[in-house]
Amino acid sequence: MADDIYFLGFNDRRTNLFENIWPIPHGISYNSYLIVDEKIALIDTVERAFIDEYLDKIEDIIGDRPVDYLIINHMEPDHSGALKAIVQKYPGITLVGNKKTFNFVESFYMQPQNVLEVYDEHTLELGKHKLQFQLIPMVHWPETMVTFEETNKILFSGDAFGSYGTLDGGIFDDEINLDFYEIEVMRYFTNIVGKYCPHTQRAIKKLAPLDIKMIAATHGPIWRSNLDWVLTRYNKWSSYDLERGVIIVYGSMYGNTQKMAEVIARQLAVRGIKNIRVYDASKTHSSYIINDIFKYKGFIVGSPAYNNALFPNVQTLLSTIEHMAPKNHYLGIFGNFAWNGGGVKNLKLFAEKIKWELVYDPVEEKGSLKPERRDELIKMADAMADKLLED
Ligand SMILES: Cc1cc2nc3c(=O)[nH]c(=O)nc-3n(C[C@H](O)[C@H](O)[C@H](O)COP(=O)(O)O)c2cc1C
Ligand SMILES: [Fe+2]
Ligand SMILES: [Fe+2]
């Protein structure tokens, strides 16, 4: 990567679900970094499935010299997975973290022996290379920090600016077609860090004074040619800067609720809305729907009544949205029933909790869609279009 700085990345093409929740059809990489100077430092480790390969790779580079420091930017096990193995192999190693880090080390792995507690702007000299630390809590965990290598101006950023998707040969942003990572970078952000947008904004502001020439995250490509590509996106997403567009999500067993969604979608198109994405909550994983919620301002959700409640797959999506609580949306709700209802009733509860602006009264049909309700759906679409067009 630079004089005496090595990329130790591993491609995971086996795992289906990251954190056992989020689909990763294009896999993911776990990136660790090694600085070989008078003192040798590792920055973060890798997922435990890669421990053996990881230890071998380190030894290939440094032979029988010991590693002096393990810098722990983030304790989530996708990066601390090899911590114990590293400490066992290099017992004299000093763990470098902040006030919150070592508590996690103890919870997951061991009572640490040699530790160096660092704080904002604290520096550590390795010889030619000087490291500076900055805490960025909640991007993605309470202990999260970044390490800035001052000699080459490399920011080791942890999860921030990371991406799903393996590194298939190309490692640097200028070696790959970034079109492939467009959705994967965004999904990594929205799925994993999206709940912590205010913290991300704080981190961006805090790191702004640093003269960063390269960003080396713990997942995905290393940014060295087009840092703006990822920085502008992170800034946009974490400030809920949304585009004119509507996501319509529905659950449907027998097609009645789906038909209602199609009517709304068509009318939005007639009104000139070009970004319309209609999703069946039973088929499309929330990972992708959440992504679009960080893109488009309109959100319309429909559910049939199901045993006096929401359709379960709609329920799951909505609880994920409530959990992440993205802001700045316009909302529409609709549903279908046959007995005593249960869909719209619960969608109203969602509307109250999420506090997005409801653009039109809820529309609920009993069974097949009849002209009167169709008109109401068209009016809902009109109300949504009006809101979006006047922004
Ligand atoms: C398993 C099941 C449970 C249902 N529970 C309710 C209910 O609690 N209240 C109600 O009004 N209708 C209930 N219904 C009726 C459906 O909400 C109704 O048939 C609706 O039109 C289905 O919409 P869909 O065609 O989009 O699937 C239930 C239907 C099924 C199959
Ligand atoms: Fe993480
Ligand atoms: Fe991670």
Side-chain angles (χ1 to χ4, degrees):
M1 283 170 66
D3 275 354
D4 314 319
I5 303 185
Y6 299 85
F7 164 78
L8 306 175
F10 297 85
N11 285 317
D12 181 352
R13 296 190 182 85
R14 286 195 179 184
T15 302
N16 284 307
L17 297 173
F18 185 71
E19 292 182 346
N20 218 10
I21 309 178
W22 311 105
I24 42 171
H26 301 293
I28 193 163
S29 73
Y30 309 104
N31 308 340
S32 167
Y33 300 92
L34 179 70
I35 305 177
V36 184
D37 204 331
E38 284 162 36
K39 296 283 182 191
I40 295 180
L42 268 174
I43 303 178
D44 291 314
T45 75
V46 293
E47 216 271 341
R48 64 182 176 192
F50 298 92
I51 291 175
D52 289 347
E53 266 183 273
Y54 179 62
L55 295 180
D56 287 348
K57 225 171 181 176
I58 295 168
E59 202 174 306
D60 283 347
I61 298 169
I62 62 172
D64 48 21
R65 284 184 67 188
V67 178
D68 300 288
Y69 297 106
L70 172 59
I71 291 147
I72 305 170
N73 282 333
H74 183 23
M75 272 301 293
E76 190 169 2
D78 55 334
H79 309 297
S80 67
L83 188 151
K84 203 167 174 179
I86 288 288
V87 173
Q88 275 163 355
K89 181 154 179 183
Y90 304 107
I93 199 166
T94 298
L95 304 187
V96 181
N98 57 73
K99 232 185 175 100
K100 299 238 166 86
T101 314
F102 305 114
N103 186 19
F104 285 120
V105 173
E106 217 180 310
S107 310
F108 288 124
Y109 303 109
M110 70 189 78
Q111 175 79 44
Q113 292 303 309
N114 313 313
V115 301
L116 173 63
E117 188 182 308
V118 298
Y119 41 82
D120 278 343
E121 271 137 63
H122 192 140
T123 57
L124 173 64
E125 311 245 1
L126 301 175
K128 281 190 302 180
H129 301 271
K130 188 170 167 192
L131 305 177
Q132 185 200 130
F133 307 98
Q134 296 282 350
L135 276 61
I136 55 163
M138 300 321 296
V139 187
H140 157 228
W141 275 19
E143 86 302 359
T144 307
M145 63 180 199
V146 296
T147 302
F148 183 57
E149 193 273 330
E150 294 183 356
T151 322
N152 298 277
K153 305 189 189 314
I154 303 174
L155 181 74
F156 295 97
S157 63
D159 281 342
F161 315 113
S163 181
Y164 291 144
T166 49
L167 293 168
D168 297 348
I171 290 166
F172 297 100
D173 58 350
D174 49 75
E175 296 180 330
I176 55 190
N177 184 345
L178 288 178
D179 291 353
F180 169 78
Y181 291 94
E182 178 88 55
I183 293 183
E184 298 301 79
V185 169
M186 187 172 188
R187 278 204 309 131
Y188 189 78
F189 173 75
T190 63
N191 297 181
I192 307 300
V193 191
K195 184 176 172 61
Y196 302 108
C197 285
H199 305 79
T200 306
Q201 278 289 304
R202 247 169 265 151
I204 289 172
K205 291 193 174 83
K206 187 169 185 177
L207 301 179
L210 298 177
D211 179 24
I212 300 167
K213 296 275 187 263
M214 203 189 285
I215 299 177
T218 45
H219 305 281
I222 297 169
W223 309 91
R224 71 172 177 192
S225 295
N226 197 352
L227 274 61
D228 266 0
W229 191 98
V230 73
L231 289 169
T232 48
R233 281 168 175 77
Y234 257 69
N235 198 27
K236 185 169 150 71
W237 302 331
S238 59
S239 56
Y240 307 109
D241 175 8
L242 302 166
E243 292 164 34
R244 181 182 290 163
V246 183
I247 306 130
I248 303 172
V249 193
Y250 64 86
S252 189
M253 298 167 280
Y254 298 108
N256 291 296
T257 314
Q258 178 186 351
K259 265 186 204 134
M260 299 174 79
E262 307 281 10
V263 169
I264 299 169
R266 180 60 201 151
Q267 182 63 14
L268 285 166
V270 167
R271 288 295 308 278
I273 305 298
K274 295 231 163 80
N275 295 309
I276 305 167
R277 299 259 59 89
V278 182
Y279 292 115
D280 183 325
S282 299
K283 171 145 185 223
T284 305
H285 195 280
S286 60
S287 169
Y288 294 88
I289 300 174
I290 292 279
N291 221 37
D292 275 352
I293 291 176
F294 276 82
K295 220 184 258 175
Y296 302 126
K297 193 151 180 144
F299 181 77
I300 302 182
V301 55
S303 176
Y306 192 91
N307 298 329
N308 208 22
L310 282 174
F311 189 64
N313 293 324
V314 173
Q315 171 88 66
T316 303
L317 171 71
L318 295 185
S319 58
T320 308
I321 294 173
E322 267 173 45
H323 170 85
M324 296 201 172
K327 303 213 168 13
N328 285 350
H329 287 82
Y330 296 131
L331 177 66
I333 58 182
F334 66 98
N336 207 294
F337 72 109
W339 321 340
N340 281 321
V344 164
K345 187 172 75 186
N346 285 292
L347 290 177
K348 284 181 185 161
L349 296 178
F350 166 75
E352 277 166 33
K353 278 187 254 171
I354 199 79
K355 297 191 178 81
W356 294 344
E357 185 179 344
L358 198 60
V359 297
Y360 198 74
D361 288 340
V363 179
E364 188 165 35
E365 179 60 282
K366 188 171 183 181
S368 66
L369 182 59
K370 284 151 289 286
E372 205 178 303
R373 287 290 169 270
R374 172 185 294 269
D375 289 348
E376 287 295 301
L377 292 170
I378 286 173
K379 283 183 194 156
M380 181 191 292
D382 281 337
M384 180 62 83
D386 288 345
K387 282 280 180 195
L388 294 171
L389 293 168
E390 79 197 17
D391 273 348

